[in-house]
Amino acid sequence: MALLEQPVSDVTELRQSIRAAGLKVTEQRLAVLGALQQNPHTSAEEIFARVGAVLRGSSPQAIYGILAAFTAAGLTRRFDPAGSPALFERRVGDNHHHLVCVSCGAIEDVDCVVGEAPCLTPSDTAGFTIFAAEVTFNGMCPRCQGQATPEPPA
Ligand SMILES: [Zn+2]
Ligand SMILES: [Zn+2]
C-alpha cells in the first residue's frame, strides 16, 4: 500500500502513535497524522487538499473529525490563531508557544523557558489549577518586514 510515499518506518511510527493514544488505526487516520507530521500548523481543509485524493469517501468534515479525535486523545494539539481556521500539530505536551505573522499568516514554534514554564504562573490564578498556557505572539515575519520596508535611498 503506497500511503503518501512515506518511508515504512514513519508509517510504523504513525501506527504506534495512534494505537498508543487508544485509537483504532485506519487508513484515513494514518494519512491525516502523516500529513500533519510533514506540515505542522495545518487546518483540516489543507490536510484534505493533501490527502483527500488518496482517501475514498473523505471530506474536510471527516478530516476535521479525525483531528478532533486525535486532539481529544492527546495525539495532536489544536491552535486557533485569530482570523484563521483551527490549526493542528503533532507537537504536544511541551507547552510551546507560537509566533504568528499578521501579514502572511506564517507560524513559528517558540519554546517556553527550558525546564520551567513561567507562563503557567499567572499574576492571579483565581483559585484555578493551571495545566497549560497558550501564548500567541502576533507580529510580522522577516519576509514580510522585508517587503514592508522601503528601499533605503542610495
Ligand atoms: Zn509574513
Ligand atoms: Zn506549534
Side-chain angles (χ1 to χ4, degrees):
M1 180 174 60
L3 192 69
L4 300 176
E5 308 103 36
Q6 290 185 49
V8 175
S9 58
D10 280 8
V11 175
T12 305
E13 192 270 326
L14 295 175
R15 270 179 206 286
Q16 283 167 351
S17 312
I18 294 171
R19 270 203 210 98
L23 298 170
K24 215 175 96 197
V25 178
T26 65
E27 196 178 342
Q28 293 214 353
R29 285 178 177 158
L30 274 177
V32 170
L33 196 60
L36 210 53
Q37 169 107 322
Q38 288 162 1
N39 310 278
H41 312 127
T42 306
S43 69
E45 285 279 344
E46 285 167 336
I47 290 182
F48 178 72
R50 285 173 191 280
V51 304
V54 300
L55 295 175
R56 266 177 305 136
S58 187
S59 65
Q61 289 72 25
I63 305 277
Y64 187 84
I66 290 171
L67 289 166
F70 281 171
T71 303
L75 193 55
T76 58
R77 175 169 156 185
R78 178 185 167 137
F79 167 50
D80 288 282
S84 159
L87 304 179
F88 297 85
E89 64 184 330
R90 278 205 73 192
R91 192 177 159 184
V92 294
D94 66 351
N95 201 64
H96 77 268
H97 305 313
H98 294 109
L99 295 163
V100 178
C101 176
V102 297
S103 178
C104 72
I107 296 172
E108 289 289 335
D109 285 338
V110 209
D111 292 335
C112 224
V113 174
V114 179
E116 49 179 313
C119 53
L120 292 184
T121 311
S123 49
D124 181 3
T125 63
F128 281 51
T129 300
I130 311 294
F131 303 119
E134 278 189 26
V135 179
T136 303
F137 302 94
N138 293 309
M140 208 176 257
C141 73
R143 213 162 47 97
C144 290
Q145 285 179 54
Q147 284 165 6
T149 312
E151 289 290 317

